[in-house]
Amino acid sequence: MEMNNEFNGKTLVISGGTRGIGRAIVEEFAQNGVNIAFTYNSNEELAKKQCEELESEFGIKARCYALNILEPATYKDLFLEIDNDFDRIDFFISNAIISGRAVAGGYTKFMRLKPRGLNNIFTATVDAFIVGAQEAAKRMEKTGGGSIISISSTGNRVYIENYAGHGTCKAAVEVMVKYAASELGKIGIRANAVCGGPIDTDALKAFTNYEEVRDKTAQLSPLNRMGKPSDLAGACLFLCSSKASWVTGHTFIVDGGTTFR
């Protein structure tokens, strides 16, 4: 999507930029001239290599930062690091998710749900969005505004096996986005959610029923295919552009038509 270089020299901060949806968003924005500050969970070497590739391919500035989204309060120190590397922040996308042992008791059937796993998902989904968006908004205000996005999922609208914990937390973050939009609009900041149907990523492959979800999604979609990370990246670019200047407090559903079927 060409935007007549309105993105040139602006800065995106995104959590979870090394794989899947996050990586696709990073590349979409970088090829439109946006400087990138992204977080990674554990693999510093991989993240730094990605920065080098982004800078050489797109001619932008890219930096990476370690972040554990189960400790959202650390966002405050992370943004101070970003301040040292970038002179402005225009866009913030809360994308990172947790998996593995951290979601034990949260990614399961209703009768097996446990508060600890649920609380971890809430922390990584809602709390991390709040603290990250607060820190970003303080900086966006100085440049006259910006755009904040939370990545969500249609698992809060349709039943997905074992997804009660995630789906409920995604519903919560979509409401939080509306509150952010209602209160930040006066300083020129828009806030929206991008709600993806099943997208073919490593995170989805971790699902116990990945192949079933993949095949059923392609069958349900009138477009006869699974979603790709780039499908969500394009929606994010639009919502951060001047073309979406009157879009705020909105959940943009990108699901290949699956939630209607």
Side-chain angles (χ1 to χ4, degrees):
M1 186 191 290
E2 284 299 325
M3 290 292 178
N4 298 324
N5 296 329
E6 70 169 81
F7 286 102
N8 268 352
K10 292 187 175 177
T11 305
L12 164 70
V13 177
I14 178 171
S15 63
T18 57
R19 294 186 303 170
I21 293 164
R23 184 162 190 140
I25 292 168
V26 163
E27 290 179 359
E28 183 80 44
F29 278 70
Q31 71 184 17
N32 280 276
V34 178
N35 296 316
I36 309 288
F38 68 89
T39 74
Y40 62 91
N41 180 35
S42 56
N43 196 331
E44 182 180 16
E45 189 181 340
L46 184 76
K48 287 193 167 170
K49 184 168 182 283
Q50 186 180 347
C51 285
E52 291 168 10
E53 290 169 355
L54 287 165
E55 290 189 338
S56 65
E57 185 171 354
F58 302 114
I60 52 97
K61 181 176 185 177
R63 295 289 183 273
C64 57
Y65 309 86
L67 173 70
N68 176 5
I69 50 167
L70 285 173
E71 297 175 0
T74 61
Y75 253 131
K76 297 189 180 204
D77 289 333
L78 187 150
F79 270 85
L80 292 175
E81 287 184 58
I82 294 172
D83 289 340
N84 289 329
D85 293 330
F86 298 89
D87 59 2
R88 59 183 294 152
I89 291 173
D90 302 275
F91 316 120
F92 171 67
I93 299 179
S94 185
N95 163 70
I97 57 169
I98 54 168
S99 58
R101 288 172 61 188
V103 298
Y107 175 66
T108 188
K109 293 278 198 292
F110 173 78
M111 290 299 287
R112 295 196 191 120
L113 290 169
K114 299 280 193 302
R116 186 176 177 188
L118 281 171
N119 290 344
N120 281 347
I121 297 169
F122 190 92
T123 297
T125 306
V126 184
D127 294 347
F129 167 75
I130 292 167
V131 182
Q134 286 170 341
E135 293 302 312
K138 291 173 193 172
R139 281 120 178 125
M140 289 175 184
E141 185 174 10
K142 294 173 187 170
T143 56
S147 178
I148 290 170
I149 295 172
S150 179
I151 301 299
S152 185
S153 148
T154 53
N156 70 55
R157 288 171 168 76
V158 295
Y159 177 82
I160 299 174
E161 189 178 9
N162 296 325
Y163 205 73
H166 290 84
T168 299
C169 291
K170 293 297 192 185
V173 84
E174 287 186 23
V175 175
M176 191 61 73
V177 162
K178 292 179 189 295
Y179 274 89
S182 298
E183 296 179 18
L184 296 175
K186 64 181 179 291
I187 55 172
I189 296 172
R190 297 180 296 105
N192 296 285
V194 171
C195 182
I199 305 291
D200 207 358
T201 63
D202 289 342
L204 190 75
K205 289 184 174 76
F207 279 30
T208 48
N209 56 340
Y210 161 72
E211 290 179 0
E212 181 190 343
V213 171
R214 179 196 62 197
D215 296 344
K216 190 177 179 188
T217 302
Q219 182 186 342
L220 280 175
S221 172
L223 303 174
N224 298 314
R225 70 169 175 86
M226 185 88 175
K228 298 180 293 199
S230 57
D231 293 323
L232 292 196
C236 289
L237 189 74
F238 165 70
L239 286 173
C240 288
S241 78
S242 60
K243 305 287 186 191
S245 63
W246 212 49
V247 181
T248 196
H250 177 62
T251 295
F252 190 153
I253 299 175
V254 184
D255 70 342
T258 55
T259 52
F260 182 69
R261 304 290 287 269

